[in-house]
Amino acid sequence: MSTIKDIAESYQTFDPAAYLQNNYVPPRADFSDPDSVVAWKLKCLADACASGEIGGQILVDIGSGPTVYQVLSAFELFKEVILTDFLAVNREELKKWLHDEPGAFDWGPFINHVCSIEGKGEPWQEKRKRLRERVSRVIPVNVHQPCPLGTELAPGTVDALVSSFCLEACSPDYPAFVKALQNITGLLKPGGHVLMIGALEESYFLAGEAKLSVASFTEEMTRKAFQDMGYVIRDFRSYTMPESMKVGVDDVKGISFVWAQKKESN
Ligand code: SAM
């Protein structure tokens, strides 16, 4: 049975390039395949963001890792976007992309896909430029701390949170996941929104040398965690991993998408 400390240690060999290669190239990111998991995730996020109900000053992405796909719809609705990760290697990978440095991952196909969902006919390069301008900071985070962003952002100051595959991927068990959800909920203003994508019934994933253990739980447990925390669930969707997306880099069975709103009275 691993602990929060064991998991933090196993992240020390996390390889951002290997993680990107495992998850963000075809078949998982094949935009010509309607079953592609990445296309499903982008559609969930785009639909919530098209509702007209989400927006404000500050959006924080919790546990960005080396990826930006998860904010491609939401960033447009906020004045300032803050990316965060536990590992310096991931924060460096993000900065490489933000500064358009050689060797940065190519998020072009993902941005292009989100532009086609939005259907405004906008050249994807314009969205890329706007996102690069909108990100104000890339900062450390630890969801196991009562103030996950330390002194950078005080509790109750954030309008919305995005988080993808973070809380379960750094928690030893379901109670630790619930506690981490409580910690990030503290950052949100009353009435603030969370868009969360998470793994269902996954016990591990690989990122180069690193084998990370994941807190494994079901769709119902995900839903319950949000309800018990005092959120109203605005949308909940799940995806079953098809055989074609099982590429030997994890044992994930499915994915959940939650759009939840913190109650005004919390
Ligand atoms: N958000 C990305 C995505 O959608 O692919 C990356 C998810 S990756 C599976 C999990 C991320 O959680 C890693 O980037 C890792 O550095 C981060 N992480 C590990 N321990 C953490 C902690 N205690 N608090 C916050 N994030 C943590």
Side-chain angles (χ1 to χ4, degrees):
M1 175 70 186
S2 57
T3 63
I4 287 173
K5 189 161 168 277
D6 295 335
I7 293 175
E9 272 165 26
S10 57
Y11 266 103
Q12 298 312 311
T13 51
F14 181 99
D15 176 349
Y19 179 73
L20 289 165
Q21 190 63 30
N22 290 348
N23 294 288
Y24 298 106
V25 300
R28 290 189 168 185
D30 178 354
F31 297 110
S32 65
D33 174 2
D35 286 339
S36 164
V37 57
V38 174
W40 180 84
K41 292 189 269 185
L42 293 176
K43 180 78 168 77
C44 291
L45 293 162
D47 287 349
C49 293
S51 66
E53 296 188 48
I54 301 175
Q57 184 70 32
I58 302 179
L59 172 72
V60 176
D61 178 31
I62 298 287
S64 306
T67 74
V68 297
Y69 73 89
Q70 63 276 17
V71 297
L72 290 176
S73 292
F75 88 90
E76 302 277 13
L77 308 171
F78 297 87
K79 292 209 164 61
E80 181 182 353
V81 177
I82 300 174
L83 303 180
T84 73
D85 201 69
F86 183 67
L87 295 177
V89 283
N90 283 334
R91 299 194 298 272
E92 288 311 312
E93 189 69 34
L94 290 170
K95 287 179 197 166
K96 212 195 290 180
W97 182 80
L98 288 167
H99 301 145
D100 198 15
E101 289 170 13
F105 189 76
D106 180 13
W107 293 106
F110 295 69
I111 302 171
N112 186 40
H113 186 73
V114 173
C115 285
S116 63
I117 297 175
E118 289 174 356
K120 295 180 194 152
E122 180 187 39
W124 66 267
Q125 293 86 347
E126 287 181 17
K127 187 185 274 294
R128 178 177 65 182
K129 182 168 178 286
R130 264 198 316 280
L131 174 56
R132 284 177 168 154
E133 289 165 356
R134 200 73 56 91
V135 174
S136 63
R137 285 179 269 176
V138 181
I139 61 176
V141 64
N142 186 347
V143 298
H144 301 306
Q145 298 293 326
C147 291
L149 300 173
T151 53
E152 288 268 356
L153 277 173
T157 57
V158 172
D159 297 278
L161 298 170
V162 167
S163 189
S164 52
F165 304 105
C166 174
L167 270 52
E168 69 281 14
C170 63
S171 297
D173 50 26
Y174 181 69
F177 167 86
V178 172
K179 182 75 190 154
L181 180 61
Q182 184 181 14
N183 292 338
I184 67 166
T185 298
L187 293 167
L188 265 186
K189 290 179 184 170
H193 295 264
V194 180
L195 300 175
M196 188 179 287
I197 292 177
L200 293 171
E201 298 178 70
E202 180 177 43
S203 72
Y204 78 93
F205 72 97
L206 304 175
E209 302 259 298
K211 180 174 183 179
L212 292 313
S213 67
V214 179
S216 176
F217 45 83
T218 61
E219 197 175 314
E220 290 69 32
M221 291 162 84
T222 307
R223 202 189 282 271
K224 183 173 180 337
F226 277 88
Q227 283 163 339
D228 290 352
M229 205 66 63
Y231 283 97
V232 175
I233 295 183
R234 306 293 306 273
D235 191 13
F236 189 99
R237 303 183 193 181
S238 60
Y239 172 94
T240 303
M241 215 63 181
E243 285 305 315
S244 60
M245 299 289 141
K246 294 181 182 165
V247 292
V249 298
D250 54 44
D251 63 349
V252 68
K253 310 292 181 304
I255 295 178
S256 63
F257 166 73
V258 188
W259 166 19
Q261 185 170 15
K262 187 174 178 177
K263 285 183 188 155
E264 290 288 347
S265 57
N266 270 0

